[in-house]
């Protein structure tokens, strides 16, 4: 990614921007990109799953500030949180983590979104919501288009996240209708890359860490379930383009990589890239785990002139290199 809009114009705009969830995987990449683009960035995070380490390169930058705050608690625009643009990314994204305290997850999605919308209204800010492909649940349509309304369990262990995110979308569109709030909603599909946590339970990080340690690699079910994995730089470019799009374009818009791959194929590619001696072990599928997931990105192509550029192999190579450095500098790699 070269930080250009439609490939030709450099963005250097000294905007005041707030990023909730700024110490998380996507949030930290977004903060870095926005600072690079010349914005004055405040990252807001309760550090539930995020880490200050992700922000190390930005700490001390004159245009960057970190504020520890839980978005379930109200935000005050007078407390130095005025912004022209707000990105709401705060919410634990890994099922293993958001299921630890499902009520908190739901409250982060709903009360948190409401607090961020109130702040946007008070500041007159444009506000972005990090929604998710999980709003489609176990999809009956393939690939998933934005018009598809989803098949989501209201009572399963993933509902706190899936239904929370659905409710957040509803709040965004109600604020748009009631208060003319300038909203942008992206439905993000599986994204991976450097700065994912080593132990967050997501499939890419799990498999890479197990492969690098030559430990058995966990495949849920027979591994024939599909996912489409988007490299983080591509995703961030999509988010930035959506935020820069004309006000009439609110979304929801799918952002993800439409190249579908089975989990088994993903594991094999990781073994090839790492040269691992790991073997695959099969475990039961988690409850309500979707069997197929693939975005239709025609709308993003048309409205944002956006599509992913980084191939799965290239993205995995970059991600493996980062995990390798992390493992070398921290815990010792076992079995090496
Ligand atoms: P992450 O868990 O790495 O980051 C989430 C961040 O939000 C963390 O830093 C966490 O500490 C913070 N947070 C959680 N609850 C909070 C609260 N109540 N108040 C303040 N901060 C809070 O996850 P991520 O992958 O970076 O995801 C970022 C956003 O994108 C999430 O909203 C997630 O739902 C969405 N999303 C991500 C993916 C993906 O593949 N990474 C896919 C779809 C949607």
């Amino acid at each position: 990614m070269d930080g250009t809009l439609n490939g030709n114009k450099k963005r250097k705009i000294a905007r005041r921007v707030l990023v909730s969830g700024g110490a998380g995987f996507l949030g930290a990449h977004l903060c870095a990109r926005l600072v690079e683009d010349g914005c004055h960035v405040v990252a807001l995070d309760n550090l539930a799953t995020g880490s200050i380490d992700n922000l190390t390169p930005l700490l001390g930058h004159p245009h960057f500030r970190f504020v520890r705050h839980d978005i379930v608690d109200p935000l005050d625009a007078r407390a130095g949180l005025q912004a022209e643009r707000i990105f709401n990314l705060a919410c634990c994204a890994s099922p293993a983590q958001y299921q630890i305290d499902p009520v908190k997850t739901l409250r982060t999605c709903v009360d948190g979104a409401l607090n961020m919308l109130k702040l946007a209204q008070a500041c007159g800010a444009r506000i972005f919501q990090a929604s998710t492909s999980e709003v489609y649940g176990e999809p009956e349509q393939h690939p998933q288009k934005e018009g598809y309304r989803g098949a989501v369990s209201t009572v399963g262990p993933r509902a706190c996240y899936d239904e929370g995110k659905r409710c957040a979308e509803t709040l965004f569109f109600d604020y748009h209708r009631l208060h003319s709030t300038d909203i942008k909603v992206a439905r993000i599909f599986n994204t991976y890359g450097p700065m994912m946590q080593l132990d967050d339970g997501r499939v890419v990080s799990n498999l890479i860490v197990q492969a690098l340690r030559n430990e058995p690699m966990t495949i849920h079910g027979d591994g024939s379930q599909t996912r489409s994995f988007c490299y983080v730089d591509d995703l961030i470019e999509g988010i930035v383009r959506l935020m820069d799009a004309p006000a009439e374009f609110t979304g929801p818009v799918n952002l993800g990589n439409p190249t579908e791959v089975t989990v088994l194929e993903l594991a094999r590619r990781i073994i090839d890239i790492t040269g691992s001696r790991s073997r695959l072990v099969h475990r039961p599928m988690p409850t309500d785990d979707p069997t197929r997931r693939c975005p239709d990105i025609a709308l993003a192509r048309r409205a944002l002139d956006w599509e992913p550029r980084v191939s799965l192999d290239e993205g995995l190579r970059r991600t493996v290199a980062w995990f390798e450095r992390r493992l070398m500098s921290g815990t010792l790699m076992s079995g090496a």
Side-chain angles (χ1 to χ4, degrees):
M1 288 299 137
D2 57 2
T4 59
L5 178 63
N6 300 333
N8 50 25
K9 223 167 58 190
K10 250 302 188 211
R11 251 187 247 100
K12 284 283 175 200
I13 303 165
R15 283 206 176 92
R16 291 171 69 93
V17 177
L18 192 70
V19 179
S20 81
F25 161 51
L26 296 182
H29 281 277
L30 181 62
C31 288
R33 167 65 188 267
L34 293 170
V35 168
E36 190 190 310
D37 285 353
C39 300
H40 293 238
V41 178
V42 175
L44 211 68
D45 205 294
N46 69 354
L47 300 181
T49 51
S51 165
I52 284 289
D53 290 349
N54 290 338
L55 298 172
T56 306
L58 296 177
L59 295 171
H61 191 290
H63 295 170
F64 181 78
R65 193 157 60 93
F66 175 75
V67 175
R68 190 163 182 168
H69 181 86
D70 193 313
I71 64 161
V72 166
D73 300 324
L75 297 130
D76 187 348
R78 291 163 304 180
L81 297 180
Q82 303 89 344
E84 293 155 68
R85 292 191 167 186
I86 297 174
F87 293 84
N88 185 31
L89 273 68
C91 185
C92 307
S94 161
Q97 289 168 333
Y98 70 62
Q99 288 173 13
I100 292 172
D101 188 346
V103 176
K104 179 63 189 256
T105 300
L106 197 52
R107 291 198 63 203
T108 297
C109 290
V110 179
D111 294 339
L114 190 55
N115 284 330
M116 298 303 288
L117 283 163
K118 285 179 180 165
L119 182 69
Q121 199 190 1
C123 300
R126 173 171 285 191
I127 181 166
F128 166 92
Q129 167 65 2
S131 190
T132 168
S133 58
E134 303 292 338
V135 301
Y136 299 124
E138 171 65 336
E140 301 125 319
Q141 277 185 23
H142 204 73
Q144 292 84 54
K145 286 186 172 37
E146 290 83 353
Y148 174 55
R149 294 183 179 183
V152 182
S153 163
T154 57
V155 295
R158 298 171 75 107
C160 58
Y161 182 80
D162 302 2
E163 292 292 352
K165 288 284 186 178
R166 286 169 67 95
C167 184
E169 284 196 10
T170 306
L171 280 169
F172 267 67
F173 280 87
D174 281 335
Y175 258 68
H176 180 61
R177 277 185 292 266
L178 290 171
H179 307 298
S180 304
T181 306
D182 186 358
I183 62 161
K184 303 281 178 196
V185 176
R187 293 185 180 151
I188 301 169
F189 284 64
N190 277 21
T191 304
Y192 70 100
M195 292 204 277
M196 295 181 89
Q197 290 171 64
L198 297 185
D199 55 352
D200 71 358
R202 292 190 244 195
V203 63
V204 175
S205 44
N206 257 7
L207 291 175
I208 290 179
V209 171
Q210 289 170 334
L212 287 173
R213 289 178 168 155
N214 291 304
E215 289 171 356
M217 292 165 72
T218 313
I219 305 289
H220 292 291
D222 63 3
S224 64
Q225 66 274 28
T226 68
R227 295 291 182 270
S228 49
F229 296 102
C230 187
Y231 187 66
V232 63
D233 288 359
D234 283 334
L235 194 268
I236 297 297
E237 178 65 21
I239 291 177
V240 169
R241 284 188 188 211
L242 173 57
M243 206 50 157
D244 284 343
E248 310 79 74
F249 187 71
T250 57
V253 58
N254 290 337
L255 292 180
N257 192 317
T259 310
E260 202 176 351
V261 64
T262 66
V263 170
L264 211 53
E265 173 62 18
L266 173 72
R268 291 199 179 113
R269 290 200 196 190
I270 290 173
I271 290 174
D272 280 352
I273 290 169
T274 55
S276 175
R277 299 192 304 274
S278 296
R279 61 191 174 84
L280 305 181
V281 290
H282 292 265
R283 297 273 177 267
M285 286 281 275
T287 312
D288 292 340
D289 211 32
T291 43
R292 286 188 86 181
R293 207 26 95 54
C294 180
D296 181 315
I297 59 163
L299 180 58
R301 280 198 174 103
R302 206 167 55 243
L304 308 175
D305 190 22
W306 174 87
E307 65 182 359
R309 289 164 192 270
V310 180
S311 69
L312 182 60
D313 281 338
E314 175 55 25
L316 286 176
R317 268 193 290 275
R318 294 185 201 172
T319 310
V320 164
W322 184 85
F323 273 97
E324 226 161 8
R325 285 198 299 277
R326 275 297 300 274
L327 289 171
M328 288 293 191
S329 65
T331 31
L332 281 176
M333 290 160 76
S334 66

